[in-house]
Amino acid sequence: MKRSRIIGTGSYVPARVLTNHDLAKLIDTSDAWITERTGIKERRIAGPDETTSELALRAARLALGAAHVKPRDIDLVLVATATPDMFFPATACLVQDRLGVRPGPAFDISAACSGFIYGLSVADQYIKTGAARTVLLVGAELFSRIVDWTDRSTCVLFGDGAGAVVLRADSTKHGLLSVHLHADGSQWELLNVPSVGSQPLTALDQVRAAKTAPRPQTIRMKGNETFRVAVRTLEQAAREALEANQLDASDIALLIPHQANMRIIQATAKRLGLPMSRVFVNLDRYGNTSAASIPIALDEAVREHRLSEGELVLFEAFGGGLTWGSAVVRW
Ligand code: ACO
């Protein structure tokens, strides 16, 4: 049976570091509060000329290099992002052009923080059906442009960055064993960026938006509720992945969760009975980079030699939509 195997990873984060101490000079917050409630110490912020496609391109080039794959060998370009450069064209088209990939399909995936896992599923369908042999999947975000920098309850959480993987059809036992995806649109209000899309603002909304923060094109989040749903849902997603593969948590060499909040990650690990030594965490340095967080973490795990051939890695994510999902890969 054909499997989708990750044959190369790459990541890129902007050079500018914004620490909690820097933030405390701008808004009413403190390093102690942010560290205790989230585990985040600093995040990266893109320069004024950097765009999501630029971050994606840099991560993609590194992934192609690691995979020893030429742009002309790519059959499909996918970019998971909630912060595309433009409404259209898709950021994937901009990446395809600048990489010099031939004109096969290229499109974006909008599933907020679950975007990378949604992307794995799409790539896997193309590969399993034979529609593509080699797929470039990038998670790239520039959340610093869509946070309200006057709202301390959200602006401390997010950062910019991109991570990429190259997947190729493989007939060995290595590769993607399963992907499970879910969405519950009825809970869209927990986490959203209203009115950057085609949804019209009512007159009342316009008045409210003009008078009160947050600005309509920035993130709104019901943090407490989101937190509770996230912990419950991530445990379910992980268990679904384990059961589908007849695995026990002890079989997992490394859990790479979406990096949203240290307390969410710890609570999920505890519920699964996984020691934190087998959970990859880098949100202290990057904050929540949404769809980029898992591929950045995976790339760092690879570079730190945290995964050996044949070991099992579990990905899980949760985000706006609501969307959530999990995937198991035999490395
Ligand atoms: N600094 C200092 N104080 C703050 C800050 C801050 N940055 N932010 C909020 N506070 C205050 C609040 O005003 C409140 O004060 P009050 O008690 O006087 O009213 C107090 O701290 C407690 O606020 P809570 O919101 O109850 O704090 P909580 O412990 O819930 O932490 C947080 C907030 C970190 C946002 C948490 O709820 C969380 O992580 N939620 C989940 C977010 C998430 O995971 N999103 C995932 C997906 S993201 C995506 O899909 C794009």
Side-chain angles (χ1 to χ4, degrees):
M1 190 183 71
K2 244 185 278 180
R3 286 231 166 89
S4 307
R5 185 174 186 178
I6 296 173
I7 58 167
T9 65
S11 62
Y12 171 78
V13 290
R16 186 177 160 210
V17 176
L18 185 72
T19 66
N20 293 346
H21 295 289
D22 296 330
L23 272 172
K25 289 177 200 148
L26 304 171
I27 50 168
D28 182 15
T29 190
S30 66
D31 173 54
W33 192 95
I34 302 170
T35 306
E36 189 199 313
R37 302 291 178 119
T38 72
I40 299 165
K41 299 295 285 182
E42 58 187 44
R43 69 285 294 141
R44 299 301 179 99
I45 303 294
D49 298 330
E50 280 182 308
T51 57
T52 297
S53 63
E54 179 70 34
L55 307 190
L57 183 71
R58 286 171 180 261
R61 284 198 175 120
L62 292 168
L64 288 174
H68 306 292
V69 163
K70 298 266 176 278
R72 64 171 178 271
D73 297 326
I74 298 290
D75 303 311
L76 167 66
V77 179
L78 300 170
V79 175
T81 186
T83 49
D85 287 19
M86 305 178 229
F87 281 131
F88 68 86
T91 303
C93 295
L94 306 176
V95 172
Q96 181 218 40
D97 171 49
R98 290 189 61 195
L99 273 179
V101 174
R102 63 195 159 72
F107 57 92
D108 288 357
I109 293 166
S110 172
C113 298
S114 312
F116 181 75
I117 294 185
Y118 268 65
L120 282 179
S121 172
V122 176
D124 196 39
Q125 308 304 322
Y126 269 77
I127 287 173
K128 281 209 173 114
T129 57
R133 179 169 175 260
T134 310
V135 178
L136 171 66
L137 167 62
V138 191
E141 300 283 17
L142 224 155
F143 263 51
S144 63
R145 305 257 164 89
I146 59 159
V147 296
D148 179 345
W149 287 102
T150 64
D151 176 12
R152 67 178 183 172
S153 67
T154 52
C155 76
V156 302
L157 303 175
F158 297 98
D160 301 335
V165 298
V166 178
L167 296 120
R168 178 162 271 174
D170 194 289
S171 46
T172 68
K173 65 183 177 120
H174 301 275
L176 199 55
L177 303 186
S178 67
V179 194
H180 290 89
L181 302 180
H182 297 280
D184 179 3
S186 72
Q187 300 199 69
W188 71 271
E189 279 182 293
L190 284 188
L191 189 61
N192 59 71
V193 180
S195 79
V196 287
S198 59
Q199 181 175 263
L201 274 180
T202 64
L204 185 61
D205 278 341
Q206 285 178 24
V207 173
R208 278 202 201 114
K211 283 188 181 159
T212 59
R215 292 179 290 128
Q217 68 273 30
T218 54
I219 292 173
R220 295 179 194 191
M221 184 173 72
K222 295 180 180 165
N224 282 316
E225 264 172 276
T226 306
F227 187 99
R228 278 196 298 276
V229 181
V231 173
R232 194 178 64 237
T233 308
L234 285 168
E235 183 196 358
Q236 283 167 5
R239 291 203 184 282
E240 186 174 31
L242 294 175
E243 274 164 31
N245 293 288
Q246 294 167 320
L247 295 170
D248 189 75
S250 60
D251 297 316
I252 300 298
L254 196 62
L255 168 66
I256 302 187
H258 167 50
Q259 310 283 311
N261 183 311
M262 190 60 183
R263 290 186 296 146
I264 295 177
I265 294 173
Q266 284 169 336
T268 313
K270 193 171 168 197
R271 285 169 175 231
L272 292 172
L274 264 179
M276 286 305 287
S277 57
R278 284 197 275 135
V279 181
F280 194 87
V281 176
N282 65 3
L283 100 156
D284 50 324
R285 287 175 289 128
Y286 305 130
N288 180 347
T289 56
S290 184
S293 91
I294 290 178
I296 294 174
L298 172 63
D299 184 48
E300 291 197 342
V302 169
R303 268 157 237 299
E304 291 170 19
H305 306 290
R306 294 279 300 269
L307 283 167
S308 303
E309 197 164 309
E311 283 186 336
L312 294 171
V313 52
L314 172 61
F315 301 116
E316 56 168 22
F318 172 90
L322 295 180
T323 56
W324 64 98
S326 55
V328 179
V329 167
R330 187 183 301 283
W331 199 250

